[in-house]
Amino acid sequence: MGVILQNRAARVRVGKGDKPVTYEQAHPPHYIAHRKGWLSLHTSNLDGEGGAAERTVEDVFIRKFIYGTFHGCLANEIVLKRRANVLVVCAVFLQRLPPYKFYFLVGYTETLLSFLYKCPVRLEVQTVPEKVIYKYL
Amino acid sequence: MVPVAHPAPEPWAAGCPGSRLAKGRWGGLGTFPVNYSSRDMPKQYRFLLNKDLLWVQFSGFHTDLHHHKDNSLISISDEPDTLYRKLSVLVKGHDKTVLDSYEYFAVLAAKELGISIEKIHEPPRKIERFTLLKSIHIFKKHRVQYEMRTHYRCLELKHLTGSTADVYLEYIQRNLPEGVAMEIKKTKLEKLPEHIQKPIWDKLPSVEETATGALETGH
């Protein structure tokens, strides 16, 4: 309608052409289920299912926790999957730390989160030399 | 005497990373069973997860340690198995393609187990929409709309026994994808209780006479 209040949600604004942007960041939210997938998969947002607020709070905490534990090593957003009491955290990391440090941090995160949420937590990790750039904006 | 198959115990009791135990059930010549945790197993063998053992060839080895004929997963009991006329499995999810592939998997599993499928239908999707204010303060005229879509898929199976239903449902539920929920409705067939088996008007004629007698006196 107006030029003043346009949608700014989850959109990276176009710049000079020097800003690298990943696939996840490049697509605005109306492409979810068309070109994008979901970052957090659980059943509480379905019809007639409860517990959405608790799952969301857990998600936010886990994202902040992993962003802090593996500081500067995250290549992309974390994908959280919940399969019958097991929490699977899928993350893509940059190879900025030596592998033994990665293994230690992975084990530490898993045990700490399992004790915190009283459910088995698994971290599925993939490492990548650099961030995967989709385009430059 | 009906054999009842008990499902295998949960492999994910503890969240420890390296749970790779070779539980000692040494078989005959040359086979070595290994219990992989689901994370370490290669993708193409994930469908074997619900079975307890993954047999691997190991040449020239012969041990006699454990007699594996007493399979603790199968037990036999005297009471008759429950019968189900219909088993209705309704899956709901946000993504239709995930439900498509899950339906293919469930139908394949049912065919392998020899369960007859009555029909597979897709109930219409439900969309929950709500409208919120776009800004934190004023600007009432500018709003944001969100929606949550739920797609359904219903699989109806007929004429199952209790143990078959248990095994099939256990397998299906272990392999439910994330973000998909399931509801099950079972229609049980029960034997008619003894006191209703024959109609009452065949016996006890004396009850009728006293009833009519009571009516006359009351009136």
Side-chain angles (χ1 to χ4, degrees), chain A residues 32-64:
Chain A
I32 291 178
H34 299 272
R35 294 187 200 176
K36 269 168 95 161
W38 285 269
L39 286 178
S40 162
L41 294 152
H42 55 274
T43 57
S44 46
N45 281 327
L46 291 168
D47 230 1
E49 309 278 338
E54 287 93 29
R55 303 292 103 70
T56 320
V57 167
E58 286 170 19
D59 286 356
V60 172
F61 176 79
I62 291 172
R63 278 173 214 278
K64 291 211 165 208

Side-chain angles (χ1 to χ4, degrees), chain A residues 5-7 38 41-43 45-49 81-84 86 107 110-111 114 120-124, chain B residues 12 14-17 38-39 92-95 126 128 134 139 142 148 150 152 176-181 183:
Chain A
L5 282 167
Q6 284 171 346
N7 285 331
W38 285 269
L41 294 152
H42 55 274
T43 57
N45 281 327
L46 291 168
D47 230 1
E49 309 278 338
K81 299 184 186 184
R82 281 187 179 81
R83 250 180 244 144
V86 180
E110 285 190 353
T111 31
S114 321
V121 175
R122 258 194 348 239
L123 208 61
E124 313 246 330
Chain B
W12 41 61
C16 51
S38 55
R39 185 240 305 267
K92 345 183 220 186
H94 287 301
D95 204 353
K126 280 190 194 158
E128 186 193 333
K134 201 192 266 194
F139 303 119
H142 302 89
M148 292 189 290
T150 310
Y152 298 92
L176 252 184
E178 52 279 336
V180 167
E183 274 175 18

Side-chain angles (χ1 to χ4, degrees), chain B residues 24 38 47 65 77 83 102 127 137 179:
Chain B
S38 55
F47 68 96
L65 284 172
S77 69
L83 298 170
Y102 187 71
I127 306 180
H137 190 45

Side-chain angles (χ1 to χ4, degrees), chain A residues 73-91:
Chain A
C73 295
L74 271 177
N76 209 342
E77 294 283 341
I78 289 160
V79 173
L80 288 163
K81 299 184 186 184
R82 281 187 179 81
R83 250 180 244 144
N85 191 41
V86 180
L87 229 186
V88 182
V89 182
C90 312

